Amino acid sequence: QVQLVESGGGLVQAGGSLRLSCAASGFSGYAMGWFRQVPGKEREFVAAISWSGSATYYADSAKGRFTISRDNAKNTVYLQMNSLKPEDTAVYYCAQGSRSTLDGSRWYLAPPSYDYWGQGTQVTVSS
């Protein structure tokens, strides 16, 4: 059983930065993703990274501002978020995917493609 624990959320002013971390108890061979959700809305894809770290993919809302990375030796995935906007306010979740690579099927965009989820960390961006 894989356990994922997010940390690093908090309250930040618009234009500020946060780095989210996701520590995994078991971390072998799978791509990872970050999603976010606000009350009343569906969970939204933010970013994904392949098992090797050589491939990444971002939602349009995250491109140029967010960076996903991973340290497999530490069983940890990160989401560096810069130039934060009030519309980035959400609960952020990390998840372990069902495959190791980010291929043309774009499986990584869909929440059902992920087998394990963390409990989430709140990010609030004030204007």
Side-chain angles (χ1 to χ4, degrees), residues 92-112:
Y92 283 71
Y93 298 89
C94 70
Q96 179 175 295
S98 57
R99 309 183 195 183
S100 61
T101 60
L102 308 184
D103 57 35
S105 71
R106 306 180 80 183
W107 64 267
Y108 45 86
L109 299 180

Side-chain angles (χ1 to χ4, degrees), residues 17-101:
S17 298
L18 284 173
R19 189 176 82 154
L20 305 183
S21 299
C22 173
S25 61
F27 206 60
S28 180
Y30 295 101
M32 298 292 292
W34 284 97
F35 288 76
R36 66 187 183 186
Q37 190 170 23
V38 298
K41 292 191 175 182
E42 293 186 352
R43 197 161 291 189
E44 175 189 24
F45 171 81
V46 176
I49 187 167
S50 62
W51 161 245
S52 68
S54 62
T56 58
Y57 189 86
Y58 297 92
D60 287 344
S61 58
K63 285 179 183 176
R65 300 189 299 127
F66 294 3
T67 302
I68 188 171
S69 61
R70 67 190 299 162
D71 185 338
N72 290 342
K74 295 183 178 179
N75 289 349
T76 303
V77 177
Y78 304 98
L79 185 68
Q80 177 68 43
M81 304 188 295
N82 300 328
S83 302
L84 283 162
K85 305 174 182 179
E87 51 264 44
D88 294 319
T89 295
V91 177
Y92 283 71
Y93 298 89
C94 70
Q96 179 175 295
S98 57
R99 309 183 195 183
S100 61
T101 60

